[in-house]
Amino acid sequence: MDKSILASHGTTLTQIGQVIANAVLDNGGTNEDTKRILSDENLRNKIAGLVLDGVTINQILRPLSSGETLTIPACDGTQTLAQAKETFLAYLDPDFKNWGLDKQGNPTEEMKVRVYEMVKNATSAQMLGSLGNDRDKLCLTQHQIKTFCEKHANWFRANSYGIFFPFKVEDQFFVVRVHMYSGNLFANIFWFDDSNMWRAGNQHRVVVPQLGV
């Protein structure tokens, strides 16, 4: 196990072992059991490997909402962004209609989502690709995006700092950029693979499903 990789996440093998040892005590284990775990580097290596299998070494985005449970309630999929004028009062991009995106989606159950913030300049594809290669798993429905904007308006900031939401219509992938303008929401549509380079200095954010949940 490469300890430098763990260190980049602020984690050491000893810390991992300590977490497991504490769990053993909490579940009726003895001090001797914990000592055995803390002294067994091979065991800690195996545990660290399992941990890193589920970790993306991400130099483009940093998590913002890790300490908070953000959810989007169940949606029936009938609401589209092209029809969401009452949500996006500042501006609603006409390309939602011009590009043929005014199409209903599938119903969804309540979903946990996470918010990330850019720390390195990137295109939309690079930014979202840093979270995983399966684009379908990164996408929300249009109804879910609209609902997040209404339910979690506190995550939007002034000064045009945007939040990106990936979504899909048929077999095409897109990104919605929403920001606050004069107290109201402003929505633009971009192709997922648009070549525009977004600047990390603007602290753009991304909302995606909480992967693995």
Side-chain angles (χ1 to χ4, degrees):
M1 175 57 55
D2 187 346
K3 294 182 181 180
S4 65
I5 295 178
L6 284 171
S8 71
H9 289 275
T11 306
T12 67
L13 293 176
T14 300
Q15 287 172 325
I16 290 173
Q18 186 65 62
V19 169
I20 300 300
N22 289 342
V24 169
L25 286 175
D26 290 342
N27 287 276
T30 67
N31 286 328
E32 288 302 315
D33 293 328
T34 64
K35 289 178 182 179
R36 188 163 55 253
I37 290 172
L38 290 173
S39 63
D40 189 341
E41 185 169 355
N42 287 331
L43 175 60
R44 297 201 306 272
N45 277 328
K46 289 179 181 179
I47 295 169
L50 291 172
V51 171
L52 286 178
D53 279 345
V55 171
T56 299
I57 308 301
N58 197 331
Q59 297 179 344
I60 297 176
L61 299 171
R62 68 180 183 92
L64 278 185
S65 61
S66 297
E68 180 178 352
T69 300
L70 288 175
T71 61
I72 299 174
C75 299
D76 63 16
T78 60
Q79 298 184 36
T80 67
L81 295 171
Q83 303 296 330
K85 293 181 180 179
E86 75 284 0
T87 302
F88 305 105
L89 293 174
Y91 178 76
L92 182 61
D93 197 326
D95 283 337
F96 284 111
K97 287 188 175 180
N98 296 339
W99 293 358
L101 306 182
D102 189 12
K103 296 181 179 180
Q104 296 182 2
N106 295 324
T108 53
E109 298 179 353
E110 180 181 72
M111 178 183 289
K112 293 181 180 179
V113 295
R114 282 189 173 167
V115 182
Y116 296 84
E117 185 173 87
M118 290 186 68
V119 295
K120 180 181 178 181
N121 294 352
T123 64
S124 299
Q126 291 169 341
M127 185 194 319
L128 292 160
S130 71
L131 296 173
N133 295 323
D134 190 336
R135 293 186 175 186
D136 286 293
K137 291 183 178 179
L138 297 173
C139 286
L140 299 168
T141 67
Q142 295 187 60
H143 196 161
Q144 287 177 311
I145 295 169
K146 176 179 181 289
T147 301
F148 181 95
C149 293
E150 296 169 346
K151 180 178 173 62
H152 299 295
N154 58 301
W155 282 91
F156 294 95
R157 301 158 296 166
N159 303 321
S160 296
Y161 298 149
I163 297 183
F164 293 87
F165 301 88
F167 75 100
K168 179 182 179 181
V169 174
E170 296 178 348
D171 60 347
Q172 300 292 320
F173 293 89
F174 304 89
V175 177
V176 184
R177 177 177 175 266
V178 180
H179 68 270
M180 191 70 70
Y181 180 80
S182 298
N184 292 308
L185 293 178
F186 187 116
N188 286 107
I189 180 71
F190 299 90
W191 289 95
F192 194 104
D193 291 306
D194 189 276
S195 62
N196 186 62
M197 183 68 66
W198 300 101
R199 297 187 59 182
N202 290 331
Q203 297 176 302
H204 295 298
R205 296 175 176 179
V206 178
V207 173
V208 294
Q210 185 170 316
L211 302 179
V213 175

